[in-house]
C-alpha cells in the first residue's frame, strides 16, 4: 500500500519544476560539478493523475469510501488578487444626463430580426474559439480542476464551497461529481431551473433519499427533520451540488434560510456556484456564517448554454411552442361545453386584446355570451368551469378596482390565434 | 449520466448511492457521541499531515468550548438571577429582560445556548427559544412556544400522564398550556395528598427567549405580548429579548399600549472584542499550541473582525481554514508540534517523499545557501543527514516559540499602560508586530522604552512583580536555566528597589537645585533661561542618581532579553512549518466575485494568459477577445439604455470588419447573429442588462462605470 502510494505524484508539475530549476541554479552558481536530482523525480512528472484508491473490502454500509493517501493538496497559484474599485463619480456621471439619446433603429431592419432558440443553439455549435484561446482555456480548466482534492478535503472539514468567476460552472461541478463523488449520495440542483422551489429540494431529500413517507409542508420543519435524520447517521455524507444557488427561484429568504440550515449540518456538504453580479447580496451575516463558504475563483469563459436555454431573452424569438402544446393538451381533454366557453374567452381576447389597457373579459359579459350560445344555464355552472381553467392556469382571474372580475388568458395573441384556427 | 442533470421538467436530481437510514430511530433522545463526528474525514485520515491537523483542531475546539462556558458567565448569571427573582412577588406586567447583544449575530447562538442551559439547570426547565424564521405569524409563534415549553420538561416531573404528547400541534393554545401547567404544578391547596411530592415544588417560571428581536414582524410580537399578558395571573411568563442594535428598537417596534404590559430591565453583554481577546490569549497565544498565524494573515483576520462583522465565530472559522490550508501543504506540516519525542518519531517515519516535501519549503533554500558546498549536496540528497539537520532546526524553533510567548506577555505587562500605548494595549497588537518583524528594532519599541525610562518607582515595582509572576510558574520545567537566572536577577532588582528610599533622593535633588539657583543673581529673563538650560544639560550629562541607575539597569536587562527572544520568526529556517502567512487565501475567505467577473470581461488576458488579447488600456477592444468581452466592452460605452440593433452593428464591425458598407447592414450572417444573441442572453443572465419596455428593442443597463 505504502509502496504504491509512494509512486503517486504529490505536487503539480509546474511547482516541482520550478523548485527543481531553482535548486539547480543555486548549485550551478557554486560549481560546475554534475548533480542529479533523485531519479524518482522524473518518473513523477509523467504521473500527475489523482490517486483515488477505492477500498477493495466490502464496506458494511454498502457505500464505497474513497481514500486518498499520501498526498498533499498544494494548488498552483496563478492569479493574484484582482484590482477593482467602484468609482463613485461614475455613478453621478451616468445619472447626470437625464436624457438618454439612442437611435430609433430596431431589429426589424434586419432580414432575420430574431432567431428562435433551437436555431441559435444549432448555429452556435458550429462556431469555435481560436486555437490559442482553446489552449488557454484548456490550461485554465486544468488549473481549476487541480482544486478538486482540496475541495473534497475542505468539504469534509465542514466548510462549504462557493464557486464564482465568469463562465458556466456546470462542467467543472459535473466533473468533480463524476471523479470524486460517484459513489456518494449526491443531490444536484439546477438553481437556474425556472420552476424550482425549495420544497422540491427538501422533498427530494426526505422522500427520495431518506425514503420517508410524508414530508412536512413547512420548510423549517422539513429542514429540522432532515437535520435530525442526518445527525442520527453521522457516517453518511450527503453532497449537495447546487448550480446557481442565486437562481431566480432560490433568491428568497425562505429558500436561503433552509439551504443555510442544511449547509451547517456536519455531514451535509454544499458545493454551489454563483453567476449573477449581485449574487452575494442575498446573504446576511447569519446566513453567511451558517453557509461557512470558502470561495474559489474558477473563471473558465465557457458559455452559459444550459443556463440560458429557458427561452426568455429579448433577442430570441418567442415561439411559445411549449406553452401552446401544453394548452392544446389540456384543451383536448375538456368537455365540448367547456371548450366553447374557453373559445369565447379566446375570441374576446383576440378582438379586444390590441388595446393597451385590455383587462380581460368581465365575468358578466362572459356569462351573457355563454347563455346566448346555450353553453351554460347558470352562474354557478360557469364558475365551476372557470375553476377548472384557473386550476390549469389556462385563465387568470383578476379583480379590478370596482370589484368586477376579469378573465384573461396569459398567452400571446398569435398563439391564441393558432389555437382558434385549430379548433374552429 | 451526462444528460441526466439537465431537464425541462425538473431541477433536482438525486444520486442515491445506497444511502441507508439508521434503523434505530424513533423517539429516542439525541445521544450522539461527539467523538464519532469530530473524526469523520476518513478520506484523508491516512495522511500524516491530516492526523496532526485533526489533532490540533480538536485541541482548539476543546479549548474554545471551555472558554465559551466561562465567557459569558457574568451577564448570564445576572440573567438567571433575574429569571429566578422576577416571579417572587406578584406582578402586573410581564418581567422582561432586554439583553443588548451587539451586532455580531453569528456568535449569539453560543451565548443563548449557554443561557438556556444555565436557566434549565438553575431555575426552571421550561424554556422556549423562538427564532423569527419559525414565527411568521402569531399562530405559528404560539404553537411553537407551547410545543417547546411543554416538551422541554426535565427530569423533575414524573411521566405519570403522557397525555399531553398526544396533543396535535394545531390544537395548542394557551388554555391547553394553562391546563398542563396546573396539572404539573397543581394548586397547592388541593394537592395536599402526601404521596405526591409536588407541594414542595414551587411554581416555576415559563421563560420565553427571543434571540433575534429585530427580525420579528412587530405586529406579531405585539399580538403575542398582548395575548400572553392576559394570562399573566395564571402563568408565570418571563421574557428575554436579544437585541442586536440598540434599546431604541424596542421602543420603536412596540407601541405604548404594549410597552405598558411588560416590565423591562436592560442587560448588556460584553463587547465581542473582549471575547476575541480572551479567545486569542487562551487558545492561540498558548505556549502549547504549535500552529501560528503570520503577521500579515493575522492582521487580515483582525481587520475582517474589526471592520466587517465583529464575529468571533467567524474569526475562529477563518483560523480553522488557515490551518486547513497550512496542513494541506503536505507531510512536512506534520512536524508542526511542540513535543520533542513526537518530532523525532515523526521524522523517523518520514519517507523520501516526505523529505522532498520539506525541501519544498521556501526557507529551505536559504538553509542550503548558508551551508558549505559538501553539506549542500548532502542536504539535498542525503535523507539521513537531512533528518538530523531538520530535527536540530525544529528544536530551535520549538524552544524559540516557547520563549516567544512568555516574553511577549512580559513585554505586554511593561508597555500596555504607557501613555498613548505606542505598541498597543492588547497582546494581539504586540503579537502582530512581533511575528511580522523584529519588534525590538521597531520605532514603537524604542519609543516605549524611552517612556519606560520615566517610570516611577511604584509603577516599576508593580510591573516587575507582575513579570516575575508570569515567569516563575514556568520555571518548574527543567532546563530553563537561562530564564531562571533572569528571574533571579529581576528578583534581586525588585528587592533592592523595595529597599530603596525615595525621599533621600528627593531631598538631594532639591538641595542641588536650590543651591545652584541661589548661587548667582539673575539679571534678566534671558539669562535665567540660559542658566536653566545649562543646568538641565549638566544634569543629564551628570551621573544618574541612584534610582535612575537602578531603573536603567533593569530596563537594560529586560531589553536584552527581548532582543534575544523576540526575534522575528522569519529568521529561523523552516519557520513555515509553524507559521502560516499566505495572504492569498483572502480570496477564499472573502470572495471577490465582482472583481473576477470584471477582470475577466475587461481584460480577458488576465485569466487567459494568451498572446493575442493584450490591450494597452482598459477601454480598448480587440477582435480576438471572447465574444462576451467584446459585447460587454461595447455596452460600457452606452448610457442607461442600449439599442440592440446598434449594439449588434457595433459588435459585427469588430468581429467581422470585412464588409462594413451600408448594404450589408440588413443582412447579418446567421452565425454571427446567433453569437450575439447568445451573448446578450448571457449578459442578461449575469445581471448587467435587462429588458426595457420603454422603447422597442432596447435594453437597460443595470450597472454604471467600468
Amino acid at each position: 500500500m505504502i509502496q504504491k502510494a509512494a509512486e503517486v505524484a504529490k505536487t503539480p508539475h509546474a511547482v516541482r519544476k520550478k523548485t527543481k530549476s531553482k535548486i539547480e541554479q543555486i548549485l550551478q552558481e557554486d560549481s560546475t560539478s554534475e548533480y542529479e536530482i533523485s531519479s524518482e523525480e522524473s518518473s513523477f512528472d509523467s504521473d500527475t493523475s489523482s490517486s483515488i484508491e477505492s477500498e477493495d473490502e466490502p464496506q458494511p454500509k454498502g457505500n464505497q469510501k474513497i481514500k486518498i493517501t499520501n498526498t498533499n493538496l498544494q494548488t498552483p497559484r496563478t492569479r493574484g488578487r484582482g484590482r477593482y474599485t467602484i468609482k463613485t463619480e461614475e455613478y453621478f456621471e451616468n445619472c447626470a444626463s437625464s436624457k438618454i439619446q439612442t437611435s430609433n433603429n430596431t431589429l426589424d431592419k434586419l432580414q432575420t430580426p430574431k432567431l428562435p432558440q433551437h436555431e441559435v443553439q444549432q448555429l452556435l455549435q458550429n462556431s469555435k474559439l481560436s486555437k490559442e484561446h482553446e489552449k488557454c482555456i484548456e490550461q485554465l480548466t486544468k488549473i481549476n480542476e487541480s482544486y478538486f482534492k482540496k475541495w473534497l478535503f475542505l468539504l469534509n472539514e465542514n466548510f462549504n464551497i462557493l464557486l464564482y468567476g465568469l463562465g458556466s460552472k456546470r462542467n467543472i461541478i459535473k466533473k468533480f461529481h463524476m471523479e470524486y463523488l460517484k459513489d456518494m449520495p449526491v443531490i444536484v440542483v439546477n438553481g437556474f431551473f425556472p420552476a424550482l422551489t425549495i420544497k422540491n429540494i427538501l422533498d427530494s431529500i426526505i422522500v427520495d433519499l431518506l425514503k420517508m413517507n410524508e414530508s412536512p409542508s413547512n420548510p423549517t420543519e422539513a429542514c429540522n427533520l432532515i437535520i435530525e435524520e442526518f445527525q442520527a447517521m453521522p457516517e453518511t455524507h450527503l453532497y449537495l451540488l447546487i448550480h446557481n444557488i442565486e437562481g431566480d427561484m432560490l433568491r428568497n429568504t425562505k429558500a436561503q434560510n433552509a439551504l443555510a440550515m442544511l449547509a451547517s449540518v456536519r455531514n451535509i456538504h454544499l458545493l454551489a456556484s454563483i453567476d449573477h453580479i449581485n449574487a452575494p447580496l442575498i446573504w446576511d451575516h447569519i446566513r453567511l456564517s451558517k453557509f461557512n463558504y470558502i470561495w474559489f475563483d474558477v473563471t473558465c469563459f465557457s458559455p452559459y448554454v444550459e443556463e440560458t436555454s429557458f427561452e426568455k431573452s429579448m433577442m430570441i424569438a418567442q415561439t411559445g411552442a411549449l406553452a401552446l402544446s401544453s394548452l392544446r393538451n389540456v384543451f383536448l381533454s375538456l368537455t365540448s361545453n367547456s371548450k366553447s366557453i374557453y373559445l369565447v374567452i379566446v375570441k374576446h381576447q383576440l378582438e379586444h386584446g390590441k388595446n393597451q389597457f385590455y383587462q380581460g373579459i368581465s365575468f358578466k359579459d362572459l356569462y351573457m355570451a355563454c347563455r346566448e350560445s346555450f353553453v351554460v344555464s347558470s352562474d354557478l355552472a360557469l364558475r365551476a368551469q372557470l375553476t377548472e381553467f384557473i386550476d390549469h392556469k389556462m385563465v387568470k382571474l383578476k379583480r379590478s378596482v370596482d370589484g368586477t372580475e376579469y378573465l384573461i388568458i396569459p398567452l400571446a395573441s398569435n398563439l391564441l390565434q393558432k389555437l382558434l384556427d385549430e379548433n374552429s | 449520466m451526462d444528460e441526466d442533470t439537465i431537464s425541462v421538467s425538473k431541477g433536482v436530481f438525486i444520486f442515491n448511492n445506497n444511502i441507508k437510514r439508521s434503523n434505530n430511530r424513533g423517539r429516542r433522545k439525541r445521544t450522539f457521541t461527539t467523538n464519532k463526528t469530530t473524526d469523520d474525514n476518513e478520506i484523508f485520515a491516512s495522511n500524516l499531515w491530516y492526523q496532526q491537523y485533526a489533532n490540533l483542531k480538536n485541541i482548539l475546539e476543546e479549548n474554545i468550548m471551555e472558554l465559551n462556558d466561562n465567557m459569558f458567565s457574568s451577564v448570564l448569571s445576572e440573567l438567571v438571577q433575574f429569571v429566578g427573582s422576577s416571579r417572587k412577588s406578584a406582578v402586573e406586567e410581564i418581567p422582561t429582560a432586554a439583553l443588548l447583544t451587539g451586532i455580531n449575530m453569528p456568535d449569539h447562538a453560543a451565548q443563548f445556548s449557554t443561557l438556556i442551559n444555565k436557566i434549565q439547570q438553575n431555575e426552571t426547565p421550561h424554556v422556549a427559544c423562538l427564532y423569527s424564521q419559525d414565527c411568521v405569524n402569531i399562530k405559528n409563534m404560539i404553537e411553537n412556544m407551547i410545543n417547546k415549553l411543554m416538551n422541554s420538561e426535565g427530569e423533575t416531573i414524573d411521566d405519570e400522564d403522557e397525555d399531553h404528547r398526544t396533543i396535535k400541534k394545531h390544537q395548542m393554545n394557551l388554555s391547553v398550556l394553562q391546563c398542563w401547567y396546573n396539572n404539573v404544578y397543581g394548586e397547592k391547596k388541593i394537592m395536599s395528598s402526601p404521596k405526591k411530592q409536588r407541594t414542595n415544588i414551587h411554581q416555576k417560571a415559563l421563560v420565553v427567549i427571543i434571540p433575534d428581536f429585530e427580525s420579528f414582524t412587530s405586529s406579531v410580537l405585539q399580538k403575542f405580548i398582548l395575548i400572553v399578558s392576559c394570562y399573566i395571573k395564571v402563568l408565570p411568563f418571563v421574557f428575554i429579548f436579544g437585541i442586536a442594535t440598540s434599546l431604541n428598537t424596542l421602543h420603536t417596534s412596540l407601541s405604548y399600549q404594549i410597552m405598558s404590559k411588560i416590565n423591562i430591565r436592560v442587560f448588556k453583554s460584553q463587547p465581542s472584542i473582549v471575547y476575541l481577546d480572551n479567545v486569542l490569549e487562551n487558545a492561540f497565544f498558548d505556549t502549547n499550541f504549535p500552529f501560528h498565524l503570520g503577521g500579515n494573515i493575522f492582521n487580515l483576520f483582525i481587520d475582517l473582525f474589526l471592520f466587517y462583522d465583529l464575529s468571533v465565530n467567524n474569526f475562529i472559522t477563518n483560523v480553522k481554514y488557515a490551518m486547513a490550508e497550512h496542513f494541506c501543504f503536505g507531510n512536512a506540516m506534520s512536524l508542526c508540534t511542540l513535543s520533542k519525542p513526537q518530532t523525532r518519531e515523526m521524522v523517523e517515519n518520514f519517507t523520501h517523499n516526505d523529505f522532498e516535501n520539506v525541501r519544498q519549503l521556501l526557507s529551505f533554500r536559504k538553509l542550503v545557501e548558508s551551508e558549505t558546498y559538501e553539506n549542500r549536496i548532502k542536504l539535498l540528497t542525503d535523507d539521513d543527514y537531512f533528518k538530523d539537520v531538520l530535527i536540530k532546526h525544529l528544536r530551535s524553533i520549538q524552544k524559540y516559540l516557547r520563549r516567544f510567548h512568555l516574553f511577549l506577555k512580559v513585554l505586554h505587562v511593561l508597555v500596555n499602560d504607557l501613555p498613548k500605548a505606542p505598541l498597543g494595549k492588547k497582546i494581539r497588537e504586540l503579537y502582530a508586530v512581533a511575528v511580522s518583524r523584529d519588534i525590538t528594532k521597531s520605532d514603537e519599541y524604542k519609543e516605549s522604552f524611552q517612556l519606560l525610562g520615566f517610570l516611577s518607582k511604584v509603577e516599576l515595582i508593580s510591573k516587575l512583580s507582575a513579570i516575575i509572576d508570569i515567569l516563575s510558574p514556568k520555571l518548574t520545567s527543567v532546563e530553563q536555566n537561562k530564564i531562571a537566572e533572569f528571574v533571579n536577577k529581576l528578583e534581586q532588582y525588585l528587592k533592592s528597589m523595595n529597599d530603596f528610599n525615595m525621599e533621600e533622593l528627593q531631598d538631594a535633588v532639591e538641595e542641588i537645585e536650590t543651591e545652584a539657583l541661589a548661587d548667582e543673581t539673575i539679571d534678566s529673563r534671558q539669562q535665567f533661561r540660559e542658566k536653566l538650560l545649562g543646568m538641565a544639560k549638566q544634569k543629564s550629562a551628570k551621573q544618574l542618581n541612584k534610582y535612575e541607575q537602578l531603573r536603567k539597569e533593569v530596563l537594560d536587562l529586560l531589553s536584552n532579553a527581548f532582543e534575544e527572544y523576540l526575534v522575528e520568526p522569519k529568521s529561523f529556517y523552516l519557520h513555515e512549518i509553524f507559521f502560516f502567512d499566505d495572504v492569498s487565501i483572502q480570496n477564499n475567505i472573502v470572495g471577490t466575485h465582482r472583481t473576477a467577473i470584471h477582470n475577466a470581461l475587461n481584460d480577458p488576458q488576465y485569466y487567459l494568459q494568451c498572446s493575442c488579447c493584450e490591450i494597452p488600456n482598459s477601454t480598448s477592444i480587440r477582435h480576438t477577445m471572447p465574444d462576451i468581452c467584446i459585447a460587454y466592452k461595447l455596452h460600457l460605452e452606452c448610457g442607461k439604455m442600449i439599442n440592440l440593433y446598434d449594439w449588434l452593428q457595433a459588435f459585427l464591425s469588430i468581429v467581422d470588419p470585412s464588409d462594413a458598407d451600408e448594404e450589408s447592414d440588413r443582412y447579418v450572417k446567421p452565425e454571427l447573429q446567433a453569437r450575439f444573441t447568445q451573448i446578450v442572453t448571457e449578459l442578461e443572465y449575469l445581471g448587467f442588462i435587462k429588458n426595457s419596455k420603454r422603447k422597442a428593442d432596447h435594453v437597460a443597463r443595470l450597472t454604471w462605470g467600468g
Side-chain angles (χ1 to χ4, degrees), chain B residues 615-676:
Chain B
I615 47 170
N617 59 50
S618 61
T619 48
S620 50
I621 308 174
R622 295 185 68 99
H623 71 278
T624 52
M625 284 180 175
D627 289 347
I628 191 166
C629 302
I630 298 174
Y632 172 76
K633 301 195 108 189
L634 287 170
H635 116 285
L636 288 182
E637 295 166 8
C638 301
K640 273 188 253 176
M641 301 276 272
I642 306 167
N643 184 320
L644 278 176
Y645 178 84
D646 294 344
W647 194 8
L648 171 63
Q649 292 303 333
F651 178 75
L652 295 176
S653 70
I654 287 172
V655 178
D656 188 15
S658 55
D659 45 3
D661 47 49
E662 275 300 303
E663 287 298 299
S664 64
D665 264 13
R666 300 187 55 80
Y667 174 72
V668 181
K669 283 182 196 158
E671 194 214 319
L672 292 180
Q673 191 179 344
R675 269 163 69 183
F676 183 70

Side-chain angles (χ1 to χ4, degrees), chain A residues 6 10-11 23 26 30-31 33 44 63 66 68-74 77 79-84 86-87 90-91 102-107 109-113 123-124 127 132-133 136-137 140 150 153 156-157 164 170 174 177-178 182-190 193 196 204 208-212 220 229 231-233 244 266 275-277 285-286 289 292 294-295 297 299 303-304 306-308 313-316, chain B residues 1-2 5-21 25 32 37 41 43-44 46-47 49-50 53 57 105-106 134 309 314 317 321 325 328-331 353 357 360 365 373 376 380 582 584 586-589 591-595 597-599 606-608 610-613 624 640 643 645-646 648 665-667 670-671 673-674 676-678 681-682 685-687 695 697-699 703-706:
Chain A
K10 323 181 299 174
T11 332
I23 296 170
I26 301 161
D30 207 2
S31 79
S33 84
F44 290 158
N63 279 348
I66 43 171
I68 297 178
T69 47
N70 203 6
T71 178
N72 53 45
L73 308 166
Q74 294 169 51
R77 226 160 263 129
R79 302 174 290 256
R81 196 177 175 81
R83 55 250 123 78
Y84 172 59
I86 290 175
K87 295 183 196 82
E90 283 180 346
Y91 172 76
T102 47
S103 72
N104 288 325
N105 294 332
T106 59
L107 290 174
K109 282 177 92 177
L110 301 174
Q111 266 182 357
T112 47
L123 286 164
L124 280 178
S127 65
E132 170 141 25
H133 277 181
C136 293
I137 286 174
L140 211 54
K150 189 174 248 173
F153 169 61
N156 279 290
E157 281 309 307
Y164 64 96
R170 272 184 58 80
K174 205 190 299 173
H177 180 190
M178 291 300 123
K182 220 172 170 141
D183 304 315
M184 301 287 199
V186 174
I187 289 185
V188 180
V189 178
N190 289 341
F193 183 67
L196 183 76
S204 51
D208 300 339
L209 204 67
L210 297 172
K211 307 272 184 246
M212 291 162 90
T220 324
E229 280 299 315
Q231 277 176 339
M233 42 183 192
N244 290 95
R266 235 193 153 94
D275 282 306
H276 195 282
I277 46 170
H285 277 316
I286 304 174
S289 89
N292 199 5
I294 300 297
W295 303 59
D297 180 357
T299 303
Y304 296 97
E306 311 290 0
E307 288 91 333
T308 56
S313 166
M314 50 237 149
M315 277 293 286
I316 285 177
Chain B
M1 210 173 217
D2 202 47
T5 56
I6 185 80
S7 147
V8 290
S9 60
K10 62 174 192 167
V12 186
F13 304 87
I14 310 273
F15 296 87
N16 184 352
N17 286 298
N18 298 321
I19 187 167
K20 276 205 188 124
R21 275 172 65 201
R25 63 183 294 281
F32 315 119
T37 44
N41 201 342
I43 301 165
F44 294 91
S46 55
N47 292 310
W49 59 263
Y50 182 77
Y53 163 73
K57 198 180 72 168
M105 301 293 282
D134 307 330
D309 55 6
N314 287 357
T317 347
Y321 174 59
E325 277 285 337
C328 271
F329 183 84
N331 282 346
N353 277 347
N357 190 237
Q360 284 172 9
R365 190 184 155 177
Y373 175 65
R376 283 185 194 190
L380 286 167
D582 179 5
S584 69
Q586 185 179 4
N587 280 355
N588 300 111
I589 291 171
T592 50
H593 174 57
R594 191 74 193 271
T595 315
I597 290 188
H598 173 86
N599 281 336
Y606 178 76
Y607 280 100
L608 289 174
C610 59
S611 57
C612 52
C613 297
T624 52
K640 273 188 253 176
N643 184 320
Y645 178 84
D646 294 344
L648 171 63
D665 264 13
R666 300 187 55 80
Y667 174 72
E671 194 214 319
Q673 191 179 344
F676 183 70
T677 306
Q678 178 64 23
T681 320
E682 285 181 11
Y685 180 70
L686 288 175
K695 208 169 169 187
D697 289 334
H698 272 63
V699 289
T703 56
W704 37 267

Side-chain angles (χ1 to χ4, degrees), chain B residues 505-703:
Chain B
L505 202 74
Q506 205 63 37
D507 292 344
V509 172
E510 271 166 27
E511 219 169 274
I512 295 166
E513 274 177 19
T514 43
E515 200 178 289
L517 280 175
D519 224 24
E520 290 162 50
T521 45
I522 294 143
D523 298 333
S524 67
R525 220 187 169 89
Q526 178 75 21
Q527 216 178 354
F528 181 64
R529 222 175 99 192
E530 270 168 24
K531 173 90 189 162
L532 280 179
L533 260 174
M535 272 171 60
K537 266 184 201 156
Q538 224 179 357
K539 211 172 140 194
S540 61
K542 219 170 51 184
Q543 203 66 23
L544 295 163
N545 71 37
K546 263 184 166 177
Y547 168 67
E548 283 166 338
Q549 189 75 37
L550 206 55
R551 182 170 63 192
K552 192 165 173 289
E553 279 171 30
V554 174
L555 291 180
D556 280 348
L557 176 72
L558 286 166
S559 186
N560 285 339
F562 293 140
E563 268 161 42
E564 190 179 346
Y565 300 126
L566 294 184
V567 292
E568 61 174 334
K570 286 196 193 74
S571 60
F572 288 89
Y573 299 121
L574 308 176
H575 62 89
E576 288 96 337
I577 293 178
F578 295 88
F579 284 86
F580 178 79
D581 204 9
D582 179 5
V583 194
S584 69
I585 67 163
Q586 185 179 4
N587 280 355
N588 300 111
I589 291 171
V590 183
T592 50
H593 174 57
R594 191 74 193 271
T595 315
I597 290 188
H598 173 86
N599 281 336
L601 289 173
N602 253 320
D603 184 9
Q605 201 213 6
Y606 178 76
Y607 280 100
L608 289 174
Q609 304 286 320
C610 59
S611 57
C612 52
C613 297
E614 205 167 340
I615 47 170
N617 59 50
S618 61
T619 48
S620 50
I621 308 174
R622 295 185 68 99
H623 71 278
T624 52
M625 284 180 175
D627 289 347
I628 191 166
C629 302
I630 298 174
Y632 172 76
K633 301 195 108 189
L634 287 170
H635 116 285
L636 288 182
E637 295 166 8
C638 301
K640 273 188 253 176
M641 301 276 272
I642 306 167
N643 184 320
L644 278 176
Y645 178 84
D646 294 344
W647 194 8
L648 171 63
Q649 292 303 333
F651 178 75
L652 295 176
S653 70
I654 287 172
V655 178
D656 188 15
S658 55
D659 45 3
D661 47 49
E662 275 300 303
E663 287 298 299
S664 64
D665 264 13
R666 300 187 55 80
Y667 174 72
V668 181
K669 283 182 196 158
E671 194 214 319
L672 292 180
Q673 191 179 344
R675 269 163 69 183
F676 183 70
T677 306
Q678 178 64 23
I679 294 313
V680 171
T681 320
E682 285 181 11
L683 283 177
E684 189 188 2
Y685 180 70
L686 288 175
F688 284 104
I689 51 172
K690 70 167 188 192
N691 201 349
S692 164
K693 287 183 180 111
R694 286 169 57 191
K695 208 169 169 187
D697 289 334
H698 272 63
V699 289
R701 260 188 81 181
L702 298 176
T703 56

Side-chain angles (χ1 to χ4, degrees), chain B residues 35-153:
Chain B
N35 297 341
K36 217 172 180 182
T37 44
T38 47
D39 202 14
D40 58 358
N41 201 342
E42 290 161 24
I43 301 165
F44 294 91
S46 55
N47 292 310
L48 277 179
W49 59 263
Y50 182 77
Q51 290 157 9
Q52 182 63 16
Y53 163 73
N55 191 4
L56 286 184
K57 198 180 72 168
N58 285 347
I59 293 175
L60 186 65
E61 274 169 2
E62 270 166 34
N63 281 345
I64 288 168
M65 282 281 273
E66 214 170 281
L67 275 177
N68 270 350
D69 286 346
N70 306 328
M71 225 359 256
F72 315 109
S73 51
S74 67
V75 63
L76 290 196
S77 54
E78 274 175 44
L79 267 174
V80 172
Q81 214 180 356
F82 169 79
V83 170
S85 60
S86 61
R87 304 298 308 200
K88 290 261 163 71
S89 53
V91 284
E92 293 296 309
E93 301 117 353
I94 309 168
T96 304
L99 176 62
L100 296 178
T101 47
I103 59 155
N104 50 329
M105 301 293 282
D107 299 349
H108 295 165
Q111 195 175 352
F112 280 107
S113 70
T114 334
L115 175 65
I116 293 169
N117 275 340
K118 284 217 167 149
I119 294 179
Q120 281 178 337
Q121 276 167 17
N122 300 328
E123 288 299 333
T124 164
H126 316 297
V127 183
C129 189
L130 305 175
Y131 288 92
S132 58
Q133 57 191 30
D134 307 330
C135 307
V136 244
N137 52 39
I138 181 71
K139 186 164 168 282
N140 274 343
M141 191 164 179
I142 297 269
E143 280 171 8
N144 246 317
M145 176 188 77
I146 295 171
N147 188 25
K148 279 179 183 162
L149 284 177
M150 288 174 48
N151 294 331
S152 66
E153 61 191 275

